[in-house]
Amino acid sequence: EGISMQNIEEAKKRGLKMRLIAYADDKEIKVSPMEVNKDDPFFSIDGVDNSLEVTNEVQSVTIRGPGAGSETAAYAAISDLFLFKVMK
């Protein structure tokens, strides 16, 4: 299932955003574009940020952070160099 600029514009007119959502429970696993509203934790994720929401019977926990970009790549490179030096 694809997504077009028209889908994005129509969602925007209704105050929604399109997000690529991965979903899993004990019955299904899927990844698809979905419309989210302003109350959804994924609504405010933009740019290179990623978000993970885990929900159970007791609570819902959301973890967010950079998934790419120059700062994240630089941090990963420095971490790798540090580990290389420490393990040598």
Coordinates of all heavy atoms in Angstrom, one line a residue:
E1 N 0.9 -1.2 0.0 CA 0.0 0.0 0.0 C 0.9 1.2 0.0 O 1.7 1.4 0.8 CB -0.9 0.0 1.3 CG -1.9 1.1 1.3 CD -2.7 0.9 2.6 OE1 -3.0 -0.2 3.0 OE2 -3.1 1.9 3.1
G2 N 0.7 2.1 -1.0 CA 1.5 3.3 -1.1 C 0.9 4.5 -0.5 O -0.3 4.5 -0.1
I3 N 1.7 5.6 -0.5 CA 1.2 6.9 0.0 C 1.6 7.9 -1.0 O 2.7 7.9 -1.5 CB 1.7 7.1 1.4 CG1 1.1 8.4 1.9 CG2 3.2 7.2 1.4 CD1 1.4 8.6 3.4
S4 N 0.7 8.8 -1.3 CA 1.0 9.9 -2.2 C 1.0 11.3 -1.5 O 0.5 11.4 -0.4 CB -0.1 9.9 -3.3 OG -1.4 10.3 -2.8
M5 N 1.4 12.3 -2.3 CA 1.4 13.6 -1.7 C -0.1 14.0 -1.5 O -0.4 14.8 -0.5 CB 2.0 14.6 -2.7 CG 3.6 14.6 -2.6 SD 4.2 14.9 -1.0 CE 3.7 16.5 -0.7
Q6 N -1.0 13.5 -2.3 CA -2.4 13.8 -2.1 C -2.9 13.3 -0.7 O -3.6 14.0 0.0 CB -3.2 13.3 -3.2 CG -4.7 13.6 -3.1 CD -5.5 13.1 -4.3 OE1 -5.0 12.5 -5.2 NE2 -6.8 13.2 -4.2
N7 N -2.5 12.1 -0.4 CA -2.8 11.5 0.9 C -2.3 12.4 2.0 O -3.0 12.6 3.0 CB -2.2 10.1 1.1 CG -2.7 9.1 0.1 OD1 -2.0 8.4 -0.6 ND2 -4.0 9.0 0.0
I8 N -1.1 12.8 1.9 CA -0.5 13.7 2.9 C -1.2 15.0 3.1 O -1.5 15.4 4.2 CB 1.0 13.9 2.6 CG1 1.8 12.6 2.7 CG2 1.6 14.9 3.6 CD1 3.2 12.6 2.2
E9 N -1.5 15.6 1.9 CA -2.2 16.9 2.0 C -3.7 16.8 2.5 O -4.1 17.6 3.3 CB -2.3 17.5 0.6 CG -0.9 18.0 0.1 CD -0.3 19.1 0.9 OE1 -1.1 19.9 1.4 OE2 0.9 19.0 1.1
E10 N -4.4 15.7 2.2 CA -5.7 15.5 2.7 C -5.7 15.3 4.2 O -6.5 15.8 4.9 CB -6.3 14.2 2.0 CG -6.7 14.5 0.6 CD -7.2 13.3 -0.2 OE1 -7.2 12.2 0.4 OE2 -7.5 13.4 -1.4
A11 N -4.7 14.5 4.7 CA -4.5 14.3 6.2 C -4.3 15.6 6.8 O -4.9 16.0 7.9 CB -3.4 13.3 6.4
K12 N -3.4 16.4 6.2 CA -3.0 17.7 6.8 C -4.2 18.6 6.9 O -4.4 19.3 7.9 CB -2.0 18.4 5.9 CG -1.3 19.6 6.5 CD -0.2 20.1 5.6 CE 0.4 21.3 6.1 NZ 1.5 21.8 5.3
K13 N -5.1 18.6 5.9 CA -6.3 19.5 6.0 C -7.2 19.1 7.1 O -8.0 19.9 7.6 CB -7.1 19.3 4.7 CG -6.5 20.0 3.5 CD -7.2 19.8 2.2 CE -6.5 20.4 1.0 NZ -7.2 20.1 -0.2
R14 N -7.2 17.8 7.5 CA -8.0 17.3 8.6 C -7.3 17.4 10.0 O -7.7 16.9 11.0 CB -8.4 15.9 8.4 CG -9.4 15.7 7.2 CD -10.0 14.3 7.1 NE -9.0 13.2 7.2 CZ -8.3 12.7 6.2 NH1 -8.4 13.2 5.0 NH2 -7.5 11.7 6.4
G15 N -6.1 18.0 10.0 CA -5.3 18.2 11.2 C -4.6 16.9 11.6 O -4.2 16.8 12.8
L16 N -4.3 16.0 10.7 CA -3.6 14.8 10.9 C -2.3 14.8 10.2 O -2.0 15.6 9.3 CB -4.5 13.6 10.4 CG -5.9 13.5 10.9 CD1 -6.7 12.4 10.2 CD2 -5.9 13.3 12.4
K17 N -1.4 13.8 10.6 CA -0.2 13.6 9.9 C -0.1 12.2 9.5 O -0.6 11.3 10.2 CB 1.0 14.0 10.8 CG 1.2 15.4 11.0 CD 2.4 15.7 11.8 CE 2.7 17.2 12.1 NZ 3.9 17.4 12.9
M18 N 0.7 11.9 8.4 CA 0.9 10.5 8.0 C 2.2 10.1 8.6 O 3.2 10.8 8.6 CB 1.0 10.4 6.5 CG -0.2 10.8 5.7 SD -1.6 9.7 6.1 CE -1.0 8.2 5.4
R19 N 2.2 8.9 9.2 CA 3.4 8.3 9.8 C 3.6 6.9 9.4 O 2.6 6.2 9.2 CB 3.4 8.4 11.3 CG 3.4 9.8 11.9 CD 4.8 10.3 11.7 NE 4.9 11.7 12.3 CZ 5.0 12.8 11.5 NH1 4.9 12.7 10.2 NH2 5.1 13.9 12.1
L20 N 4.8 6.4 9.2 CA 5.0 5.0 8.9 C 5.1 4.3 10.2 O 6.0 4.5 11.0 CB 6.3 4.8 8.1 CG 6.6 3.4 7.7 CD1 5.5 2.8 6.7 CD2 8.0 3.3 7.0
I21 N 4.1 3.4 10.5 CA 4.0 2.8 11.8 C 4.2 1.3 11.7 O 3.6 0.6 10.9 CB 2.6 3.0 12.4 CG1 2.3 4.5 12.5 CG2 2.4 2.4 13.8 CD1 3.0 5.3 13.5
A22 N 5.1 0.8 12.6 CA 5.3 -0.7 12.7 C 4.4 -1.1 13.9 O 4.5 -0.4 15.0 CB 6.7 -1.0 12.9
Y23 N 3.6 -2.1 13.8 CA 2.7 -2.5 14.8 C 2.8 -4.0 15.0 O 2.9 -4.8 14.1 CB 1.3 -2.2 14.5 CG 0.2 -2.7 15.4 CD1 -0.1 -2.1 16.6 CD2 -0.4 -3.9 15.2 CE1 -1.0 -2.6 17.5 CE2 -1.3 -4.5 16.1 CZ -1.6 -3.8 17.2 OH -2.5 -4.3 18.1
A24 N 2.8 -4.5 16.3 CA 2.9 -5.9 16.5 C 2.1 -6.2 17.8 O 2.1 -5.5 18.8 CB 4.3 -6.4 16.7
D25 N 1.3 -7.3 17.8 CA 0.7 -7.9 19.0 C 0.7 -9.4 18.8 O 1.4 -9.9 17.9 CB -0.7 -7.3 19.2 CG -1.7 -7.7 18.1 OD1 -1.4 -8.6 17.3 OD2 -2.8 -7.0 18.0
D26 N 0.0 -10.1 19.6 CA 0.1 -11.6 19.6 C -0.7 -12.1 18.4 O -0.6 -13.3 18.1 CB -0.4 -12.2 20.9 CG -1.9 -11.8 21.2 OD1 -2.4 -10.8 20.6 OD2 -2.5 -12.5 22.0
K27 N -1.3 -11.3 17.6 CA -2.1 -11.8 16.4 C -1.6 -11.3 15.1 O -1.8 -11.9 14.1 CB -3.6 -11.4 16.6 CG -4.2 -12.0 17.7 CD -5.7 -11.5 17.9 CE -6.2 -12.1 19.2 NZ -7.5 -11.5 19.6
E28 N -0.9 -10.1 15.1 CA -0.4 -9.6 13.8 C 0.8 -8.8 13.9 O 1.1 -8.2 15.0 CB -1.5 -8.8 13.1 CG -1.8 -7.5 13.8 CD -2.8 -6.6 13.0 OE1 -2.8 -6.6 11.7 OE2 -3.7 -6.0 13.6
I29 N 1.5 -8.7 12.8 CA 2.7 -7.8 12.7 C 2.5 -7.1 11.4 O 2.3 -7.7 10.3 CB 4.0 -8.6 12.7 CG1 4.2 -9.3 14.0 CG2 5.2 -7.6 12.4 CD1 5.4 -10.3 14.0
K30 N 2.6 -5.7 11.4 CA 2.5 -5.0 10.1 C 3.3 -3.7 10.2 O 3.5 -3.1 11.3 CB 1.0 -4.7 9.8 CG 0.3 -3.8 10.8 CD -1.1 -3.5 10.3 CE -1.8 -2.5 11.3 NZ -3.1 -2.2 10.9
V31 N 3.6 -3.2 9.0 CA 4.2 -1.9 8.9 C 3.5 -1.2 7.7 O 3.4 -1.7 6.7 CB 5.7 -2.0 8.5 CG1 6.3 -0.6 8.3 CG2 6.5 -2.7 9.6
S32 N 2.9 0.0 8.0 CA 2.1 0.7 7.0 C 2.0 2.1 7.4 O 2.1 2.5 8.5 CB 0.7 0.0 6.9 OG 0.0 0.2 8.1
P33 N 1.7 3.0 6.4 CA 1.5 4.4 6.6 C 0.1 4.5 7.3 O -0.9 3.8 7.0 CB 1.4 5.0 5.2 CG 1.5 3.9 4.2 CD 1.7 2.7 4.9
M34 N 0.1 5.3 8.4 CA -1.2 5.5 9.1 C -1.3 7.0 9.4 O -0.4 7.7 9.6 CB -1.1 4.8 10.4 CG -1.1 3.3 10.2 SD -0.9 2.4 11.8 CE -2.5 2.7 12.5
E35 N -2.6 7.5 9.5 CA -2.9 8.8 9.9 C -2.9 8.9 11.5 O -3.4 8.0 12.1 CB -4.2 9.3 9.4 CG -4.3 9.4 7.9 CD -5.7 9.9 7.4 OE1 -6.7 9.8 8.2 OE2 -5.8 10.3 6.3
V36 N -2.2 9.9 12.0 CA -2.2 10.1 13.5 C -2.7 11.5 13.8 O -2.5 12.4 13.1 CB -0.8 9.8 14.1 CG1 -0.4 8.4 13.9 CG2 0.2 10.7 13.5
N37 N -3.4 11.6 14.9 CA -3.9 12.9 15.4 C -2.9 13.5 16.4 O -2.0 12.9 16.8 CB -5.3 12.8 15.9 CG -5.4 12.0 17.1 OD1 -4.6 12.0 18.0 ND2 -6.5 11.3 17.3
K38 N -3.2 14.8 16.8 CA -2.3 15.5 17.7 C -2.2 14.9 19.0 O -1.2 15.2 19.7 CB -2.8 17.0 17.8 CG -4.1 17.1 18.4 CD -4.5 18.6 18.5 CE -5.9 18.6 19.1 NZ -6.2 19.8 19.8
D39 N -3.1 14.0 19.4 CA -3.0 13.4 20.7 C -2.1 12.1 20.7 O -1.8 11.6 21.7 CB -4.4 13.0 21.2 CG -5.3 14.2 21.5 OD1 -4.7 15.2 21.9 OD2 -6.5 14.1 21.2
D40 N -1.7 11.7 19.5 CA -0.9 10.5 19.4 C 0.6 10.9 19.6 O 1.1 11.9 19.1 CB -1.0 10.0 17.9 CG -0.4 8.6 17.8 OD1 0.8 8.5 17.9 OD2 -1.2 7.7 17.4
P41 N 1.3 10.1 20.4 CA 2.8 10.4 20.6 C 3.6 10.5 19.3 O 4.6 11.2 19.3 CB 3.3 9.3 21.5 CG 2.1 8.4 21.8 CD 0.9 8.9 21.1
F42 N 3.2 9.8 18.3 CA 3.9 9.9 17.0 C 3.7 11.1 16.2 O 4.4 11.4 15.3 CB 3.6 8.6 16.2 CG 4.0 7.3 16.8 CD1 3.0 6.4 17.1 CD2 5.3 7.1 17.2 CE1 3.4 5.2 17.7 CE2 5.7 5.9 17.8 CZ 4.7 4.9 18.1
F43 N 2.7 11.9 16.6 CA 2.3 13.1 15.8 C 3.5 14.1 15.8 O 3.8 14.7 14.8 CB 1.1 13.8 16.4 CG 0.6 15.0 15.7 CD1 -0.3 14.8 14.6 CD2 1.0 16.3 16.0 CE1 -0.8 15.9 13.9 CE2 0.5 17.3 15.3 CZ -0.4 17.1 14.2
S44 N 4.2 14.3 16.9 CA 5.3 15.3 17.0 C 6.6 14.8 16.6 O 7.6 15.5 16.6 CB 5.3 15.8 18.4 OG 5.7 14.8 19.3
I45 N 6.7 13.6 16.1 CA 8.0 13.0 15.6 C 8.3 13.6 14.2 O 7.5 13.4 13.3 CB 8.0 11.5 15.6 CG1 7.7 10.9 17.0 CG2 9.3 10.9 15.0 CD1 8.8 11.2 18.0
D46 N 9.4 14.3 14.0 CA 9.7 14.8 12.7 C 11.2 14.6 12.5 O 12.0 14.3 13.4 CB 9.4 16.3 12.7 CG 7.9 16.6 12.6 OD1 7.3 16.0 11.8 OD2 7.4 17.4 13.4
G47 N 11.6 14.9 11.3 CA 13.0 14.8 10.9 C 13.6 13.4 11.0 O 13.0 12.5 10.6
V48 N 14.7 13.3 11.7 CA 15.4 12.0 11.9 C 15.0 11.3 13.2 O 15.6 10.3 13.5 CB 16.9 12.2 11.8 CG1 17.3 12.8 10.4 CG2 17.4 13.1 12.9
D49 N 14.1 11.9 13.9 CA 13.7 11.2 15.2 C 12.9 9.9 15.0 O 12.2 9.8 14.0 CB 12.9 12.2 16.1 CG 13.7 13.2 16.8 OD1 15.0 13.1 16.7 OD2 13.2 14.1 17.3
N50 N 13.1 9.0 15.9 CA 12.3 7.8 15.9 C 11.6 7.7 17.2 O 12.0 8.4 18.2 CB 13.2 6.5 15.8 CG 13.8 6.4 14.4 OD1 13.2 6.7 13.4 ND2 15.0 5.9 14.3
S51 N 10.6 6.9 17.3 CA 9.8 6.7 18.5 C 9.4 5.3 18.6 O 9.0 4.6 17.6 CB 8.6 7.6 18.5 OG 7.9 7.5 19.7
L52 N 9.4 4.8 19.9 CA 8.9 3.4 20.2 C 7.9 3.5 21.3 O 8.2 4.2 22.3 CB 10.1 2.6 20.6 CG 9.7 1.2 21.2 CD1 9.2 0.3 20.1 CD2 11.0 0.6 21.8
E53 N 6.7 3.0 21.1 CA 5.7 2.9 22.2 C 5.4 1.5 22.5 O 5.1 0.7 21.6 CB 4.4 3.6 21.7 CG 3.4 3.7 22.8 CD 2.1 4.4 22.3 OE1 1.5 3.9 21.3 OE2 1.8 5.4 22.9
V54 N 5.5 1.2 23.8 CA 5.2 -0.2 24.3 C 4.1 0.0 25.2 O 4.1 0.7 26.2 CB 6.4 -0.8 25.0 CG1 6.1 -2.2 25.5 CG2 7.7 -0.8 24.1
T55 N 3.0 -0.8 25.0 CA 1.8 -0.8 25.8 C 1.5 -2.1 26.3 O 1.6 -3.1 25.6 CB 0.6 -0.3 24.9 OG1 1.0 1.0 24.3 CG2 -0.6 -0.1 25.7
N56 N 1.1 -2.2 27.6 CA 0.6 -3.4 28.2 C -0.6 -3.1 29.0 O -1.2 -2.0 28.9 CB 1.7 -4.1 29.0 CG 2.2 -3.3 30.2 OD1 1.4 -2.4 30.7 ND2 3.3 -3.5 30.7
E57 N -1.1 -4.0 29.8 CA -2.3 -3.9 30.6 C -2.2 -2.8 31.6 O -3.2 -2.2 32.0 CB -2.7 -5.2 31.3 CG -3.0 -6.3 30.4 CD -1.7 -7.0 29.9 OE1 -0.6 -6.9 30.5 OE2 -1.7 -7.7 28.8
V58 N -1.0 -2.4 32.0 CA -0.8 -1.5 33.1 C -0.5 -0.1 32.6 O -1.1 0.9 33.1 CB 0.4 -1.9 34.0 CG1 0.6 -1.0 35.1 CG2 0.1 -3.3 34.6
Q59 N 0.3 0.1 31.6 CA 0.7 1.4 31.2 C 1.2 1.4 29.7 O 1.4 0.4 29.1 CB 1.8 2.0 32.1 CG 3.1 1.2 32.0 CD 4.2 1.7 33.0 OE1 3.9 2.7 33.7 NE2 5.3 1.1 33.0
S60 N 1.5 2.6 29.3 CA 2.1 2.8 28.0 C 3.4 3.7 28.1 O 3.4 4.7 28.8 CB 1.1 3.6 27.1 OG 1.5 3.6 25.8
V61 N 4.5 3.2 27.5 CA 5.8 3.9 27.7 C 6.2 4.3 26.3 O 6.2 3.4 25.4 CB 6.8 3.0 28.4 CG1 8.2 3.7 28.4 CG2 6.4 2.6 29.7
T62 N 6.6 5.5 26.1 CA 7.1 6.0 24.8 C 8.6 6.4 24.9 O 8.9 7.2 25.8 CB 6.3 7.2 24.3 OG1 4.9 6.8 24.2 CG2 6.8 7.6 22.9
I63 N 9.4 5.9 24.0 CA 10.8 6.3 24.0 C 11.1 7.0 22.7 O 10.7 6.5 21.6 CB 11.7 5.0 24.1 CG1 11.4 4.2 25.4 CG2 13.2 5.4 24.0 CD1 12.0 2.8 25.4
R64 N 11.8 8.1 22.7 CA 12.1 8.9 21.5 C 13.5 9.2 21.5 O 14.1 9.4 22.5 CB 11.3 10.2 21.4 CG 10.0 10.4 21.9 CD 9.6 11.8 21.8 NE 10.0 12.6 20.7 CZ 9.3 13.6 20.2 NH1 8.2 13.9 20.8 NH2 9.7 14.2 19.2
G65 N 14.0 9.4 20.3 CA 15.4 9.8 20.1 C 15.8 9.9 18.7 O 15.1 9.4 17.8
P66 N 17.0 10.4 18.4 CA 17.5 10.5 17.0 C 17.7 9.2 16.4 O 18.3 8.3 17.1 CB 18.7 11.4 17.2 CG 19.2 11.2 18.6 CD 17.9 10.9 19.4
G67 N 17.3 9.0 15.2 CA 17.6 7.7 14.5 C 18.6 7.9 13.4 O 19.1 6.9 12.9
A68 N 19.0 9.1 13.1 CA 20.0 9.3 12.1 C 20.4 10.8 12.2 O 20.0 11.5 13.0 CB 19.4 9.0 10.7
G69 N 21.2 11.2 11.3 CA 21.7 12.6 11.2 C 23.1 12.7 11.6 O 23.8 11.8 12.1
S70 N 23.7 13.9 11.4 CA 25.1 14.1 11.6 C 25.6 13.9 13.0 O 26.6 13.3 13.3 CB 25.6 15.4 11.0 OG 24.8 16.5 11.7
E71 N 24.8 14.4 14.0 CA 25.2 14.3 15.4 C 25.2 12.9 15.9 O 26.1 12.4 16.6 CB 24.3 15.2 16.3 CG 24.5 16.6 16.1 CD 23.6 17.5 17.0 OE1 23.1 16.9 18.0 OE2 23.4 18.6 16.7
T72 N 24.1 12.1 15.5 CA 24.0 10.7 15.9 C 25.2 9.9 15.2 O 25.8 9.1 15.9 CB 22.7 10.2 15.4 OG1 21.7 11.0 16.0 CG2 22.5 8.7 15.9
A73 N 25.5 10.2 14.0 CA 26.5 9.5 13.3 C 27.9 9.8 13.9 O 28.7 8.9 14.1 CB 26.5 9.8 11.8
A74 N 28.1 11.1 14.3 CA 29.4 11.5 14.9 C 29.5 10.8 16.3 O 30.6 10.3 16.6 CB 29.4 13.0 15.0
Y75 N 28.4 10.8 17.0 CA 28.5 10.1 18.4 C 28.8 8.6 18.2 O 29.6 8.1 18.9 CB 27.1 10.3 19.1 CG 27.1 9.5 20.4 CD1 27.7 10.1 21.5 CD2 26.4 8.3 20.5 CE1 27.7 9.4 22.7 CE2 26.4 7.6 21.7 CZ 27.0 8.2 22.8 OH 27.0 7.5 24.0
A76 N 28.2 8.0 17.2 CA 28.4 6.5 17.0 C 29.9 6.3 16.6 O 30.5 5.4 17.1 CB 27.5 6.0 15.9
A77 N 30.4 7.2 15.8 CA 31.8 7.0 15.3 C 32.8 7.2 16.5 O 33.7 6.5 16.7 CB 32.2 8.0 14.2
I78 N 32.5 8.2 17.3 CA 33.4 8.5 18.5 C 33.3 7.3 19.5 O 34.3 6.9 20.0 CB 33.0 9.8 19.2 CG1 33.4 11.0 18.3 CG2 33.6 9.9 20.6 CD1 32.9 12.3 18.7
S79 N 32.1 6.8 19.7 CA 31.9 5.6 20.6 C 32.6 4.4 20.1 O 33.3 3.7 20.8 CB 30.4 5.3 20.7 OG 29.7 6.3 21.3
D80 N 32.6 4.2 18.8 CA 33.3 3.1 18.2 C 34.8 3.2 18.4 O 35.5 2.3 18.7 CB 33.0 2.9 16.7 CG 31.5 2.4 16.5 OD1 30.9 2.0 17.4 OD2 31.1 2.5 15.3
L81 N 35.3 4.4 18.1 CA 36.8 4.7 18.3 C 37.2 4.5 19.8 O 38.2 3.9 20.0 CB 37.1 6.1 17.8 CG 37.1 6.3 16.3 CD1 37.3 7.8 16.1 CD2 38.1 5.5 15.6
F82 N 36.3 5.0 20.7 CA 36.6 4.8 22.1 C 36.7 3.3 22.5 O 37.6 2.8 23.1 CB 35.6 5.5 22.9 CG 35.8 5.3 24.4 CD1 36.8 6.0 25.1 CD2 34.9 4.5 25.1 CE1 36.9 5.8 26.5 CE2 35.1 4.3 26.5 CZ 36.1 4.9 27.1
L83 N 35.7 2.6 22.0 CA 35.6 1.1 22.3 C 36.8 0.4 21.7 O 37.4 -0.5 22.3 CB 34.3 0.5 21.8 CG 33.1 0.9 22.6 CD1 31.8 0.4 21.9 CD2 33.1 0.4 24.0
F84 N 37.2 0.8 20.5 CA 38.3 0.2 19.8 C 39.6 0.4 20.6 O 40.4 -0.5 20.8 CB 38.5 0.8 18.4 CG 39.7 0.3 17.7 CD1 39.6 -1.0 17.1 CD2 40.8 1.0 17.5 CE1 40.7 -1.5 16.4 CE2 41.9 0.6 16.8 CZ 41.9 -0.7 16.3
K85 N 39.8 1.6 21.1 CA 40.9 2.0 21.9 C 40.9 1.2 23.3 O 42.0 0.7 23.7 CB 41.0 3.5 22.2 CG 42.1 4.0 23.0 CD 43.4 3.9 22.2 CE 44.5 4.5 23.0 NZ 45.8 4.2 22.5
V86 N 39.8 1.2 23.9 CA 39.7 0.5 25.2 C 39.9 -1.0 25.1 O 40.6 -1.6 25.9 CB 38.3 0.8 25.8 CG1 38.0 -0.1 27.0 CG2 38.2 2.2 26.2
M87 N 39.4 -1.6 24.0 CA 39.5 -3.1 23.8 C 40.9 -3.5 23.3 O 41.2 -4.7 23.3 CB 38.4 -3.6 23.0 CG 37.0 -3.3 23.6 SD 35.7 -3.8 22.4 CE 34.9 -5.0 23.5
K88 N 41.6 -2.6 22.8 CA 42.9 -2.9 22.2 C 44.0 -3.4 23.1 O 44.0 -3.0 24.3 CB 43.4 -1.7 21.4 CG 44.5 -2.0 20.4 CD 44.7 -0.9 19.5 CE 45.8 -1.3 18.5 NZ 46.3 -0.2 17.7

